[in-house]
Amino acid sequence: MQQIINFILRNKSFLLFALLFALSIFLTIQSNSYHKSKFINSANALSGGVYNLTNGITQYFDLKEQNEILTEENNRLKSILYSNHGYQESEVDSLPYVPNFKFITATVIKNSYSAYNNYLTIDKGTKDSINVDFGVISSKGVVGIIDNVSKNYARVLSVLNTKSRINAELKKTNHFGSLKWDGKSPEVVQLIDIPKQAEIKIGDTIVTGGLSTIFPKGIPIGSVQSFNLDETGNYFILDVRLFNDMTNLGNVHVIENINAKEILSLEPTDE
Amino acid sequence: MNSSIALHISRFVLLVLLQVLILNHINFLGYINPYAYILFILLFPISNNRQLFILLSFVLGFTIDLFSDSGGIHAAACVTIAYLRPMILKFTFGTSYEHQTLKIGTSEIGPRITYFTIIILIHHFILFTLEVFNTSNILLIAKKSLFSSIFTLIMCLILTVLFSRNSK
């Protein structure tokens, strides 16, 4: 017994180091599994509060730019409203006419795009009836999916995250695949598992698919920049240039699918 | 003694805020960010209380992780360099470290740069290895840690020069 205590006392620095290092590794591994990073995320009162405070100051610097983005969106929506075409024929997605989805506006208070796994923090939380697995879009396209909420803040798993998988399809042919990111450029994401029968041209529009309960069908994502067959030769890998400028996000919309629970209860959940 | 504790607490808070509010958003050439918060570990006074030092480094890394949604990667890297620091000090400063007369703020520029470089390289390598968490991207890890290290080193040297002039 004496020897054990002596051993601990002699190596206490190393033991403390080993303990803390193991703890950090544990936290890292845990944060790598989706929906499990409960302990450390920026949607807590401390970091959320600090980010909110600084965002209160810094948001004035790009007010003009954000205003232009909003005016642009307004123009687009007005042109739909006053045009004689039917809604289905229009260029724009059919978002406002889908009654199954509820929209909540929020402000991005922390954005990151240079890391390998990027997250955003927004200033709305459970208090504003936001919950895990709600989609987040901006006026130009998809931003990400909520993966953690606290009372006043929520964390968004950005599309620029190597763990992110979003169901997406070609706008003209409905061939679908999943959208992921290779961690390289914040402007380009990859769409994988598109069957090779699909006819793809550079510049084709990619939109969200209706297969997931998170996003409504038809939200714009980006346009095809280049495409290649994968190793097996059966599927295409597409490089998709995002419509969204992920480095400059101000106002976003959080989407709640009101029927999500009902749809999920019908589908087997073992993905 | 009290004023030195106050100095370290304020240094801790200021470096964390500097890191999460400004330096994390530099993104030079798309992905290069300096991690100047480890200046707290670099400049921590040399004392015999290694346990406290390791614990404080963990808290520092943990705080940065909290703000940047990165799991425990900063904490792991910080604990490692805190544990290895005495050996690196002995290697770079030699006798003046063993005689307990060393003060990093007033040390010579040559060994100081060596000491900073070694610690920064170790820290960044662990940081990016854990961030990418994939050995097939070893080239990306090397690239990221090398370029960020250069940036961090310059940043740390500028900060130490700027703030040491007052104390003289």
Side-chain angles (χ1 to χ4, degrees), chain A residues 12-14 16-17 20-21 23-24 28 31 40-42 44 47 51 54 110-111 113-116 119 155, chain B residues 21 25 27 30 33 50-51 54 58 62 65-67 69 71-73 75-76 79-80 83 131-132 137 140 144:
Chain A
K12 58 187 182 222
S13 292
F14 178 75
L16 184 69
F17 159 71
L20 293 176
F21 191 78
L23 184 64
S24 326
T28 309
S31 79
I40 307 189
N41 64 73
S42 60
N44 60 45
S47 52
Y51 281 132
T54 50
K110 178 234 161 190
N111 187 7
Y113 49 86
S114 62
Y116 203 64
Y119 296 93
R155 185 173 78 160
Chain B
L21 298 181
H25 301 285
N27 297 323
N33 277 335
R50 279 181 76 187
Q51 289 78 41
I54 290 174
F58 178 78
F62 189 80
D65 278 327
L66 205 67
F67 277 94
D69 289 307
I73 59 173
V79 181
T80 316
Y83 178 71
E131 185 188 358
V132 175
N137 283 337
L140 183 73
K144 272 190 156 186

Side-chain angles (χ1 to χ4, degrees), chain B residues 18-65:
Chain B
L18 175 78
Q19 183 64 42
V20 297
L21 298 181
I22 299 167
L23 299 182
N24 272 356
H25 301 285
I26 287 184
N27 297 323
F28 183 62
L29 297 181
Y31 60 92
I32 305 172
N33 277 335
Y35 293 95
Y37 70 94
I38 57 169
L39 210 57
F40 177 80
I41 297 172
L42 290 169
L43 296 181
F44 198 80
I46 295 150
S47 68
N48 288 323
N49 199 343
R50 279 181 76 187
Q51 289 78 41
L52 178 73
F53 177 50
I54 290 174
L55 205 64
L56 277 175
S57 305
F58 178 78
V59 174
L60 176 72
F62 189 80
T63 319
I64 300 285
D65 278 327

Side-chain angles (χ1 to χ4, degrees), chain A residues 214-234:
Chain A
I214 296 170
F215 290 107
K217 190 182 163 89
I219 295 179
I221 295 173
S223 58
V224 177
Q225 193 182 33
S226 65
F227 57 94
N228 286 306
L229 282 175
D230 67 1
E231 296 100 10
T232 61
N234 293 323

Side-chain angles (χ1 to χ4, degrees), chain B residues 92-110:
Chain B
T92 47
F93 291 101
T95 47
S96 66
Y97 168 67
E98 276 165 20
H99 295 133
Q100 306 272 329
T101 53
L102 178 67
K103 277 203 170 122
I104 295 158
T106 57
S107 61
E108 282 175 62
I109 194 79

